[in-house]
Amino acid sequence: MTLKSKYNNDAPDAILVSFDAKWVKPLNDGSVSQVFRKRGPKSTSPSWVYVYAGTPIKAVIGRLPVIHLRQLTIKESLALANEGALERSELAEYAGEYGSLFVFTVGKFQSASTEVTFSELKEKYGFAPPQSFLILSTQGKNALDTLCGFAEGENNA
């Protein structure tokens, strides 16, 4: 089994996104209500963003319920920078030459009971951290929920 969705009929409602480890604290303390990405899903509107924290953590650490996803101009995105725990200048630098960003309005971060390490994900699923995002298959989402310790019935945003 792979975590990645391979078929359009899989009805995926979750993506896995790589975050720099510096985002762990702002996510945990609730200061992030907007997540900005250069690339985002065009064929699906996810209900969940699973958070993979990079080096030195290298693990799936939790998930964010997605309230709304939209593609905004850089100017519109910059107006929301502080809701993403960013300075306007940081977001402008991140956006670079892009004309728009994908902006996820997210709810409260849900920390995993058990962080799922890169080595475990690689061994079980052939996982490689995505540069932008990975659309999860229904089976992949269910597997992550189990591994992270999210109980059934917690799947509502």
Side-chain angles (χ1 to χ4, degrees), residues 118-147:
F118 166 74
S119 56
E120 182 178 358
L121 292 168
K122 183 172 174 53
E123 182 182 316
K124 286 184 178 175
Y125 307 105
F127 175 77
Q131 284 209 303
S132 53
F133 67 96
L134 174 111
I135 297 174
L136 294 170
S137 66
T138 301
Q139 282 184 311
K141 177 187 180 293
N142 292 340
L144 280 181
D145 282 344
T146 300
L147 292 167

Side-chain angles (χ1 to χ4, degrees), residues 46-102:
S47 300
W48 295 98
V49 170
Y50 285 75
V51 177
Y52 177 84
T55 304
I57 298 167
K58 294 171 46 173
V60 174
I61 61 163
R63 64 185 183 177
L64 293 158
V66 177
I67 296 165
H68 191 54
L69 170 62
R70 56 209 158 142
Q71 204 166 354
L72 298 178
T73 66
I74 301 305
K75 183 179 179 181
E76 291 168 323
S77 298
L78 290 175
L80 299 171
N82 65 333
E83 295 177 41
L86 288 163
E87 297 292 328
R88 288 173 66 100
S89 58
E90 288 177 281
L91 186 56
E93 185 178 325
Y94 168 74
E97 298 298 313
Y98 278 73
S100 64
L101 293 174
F102 285 84

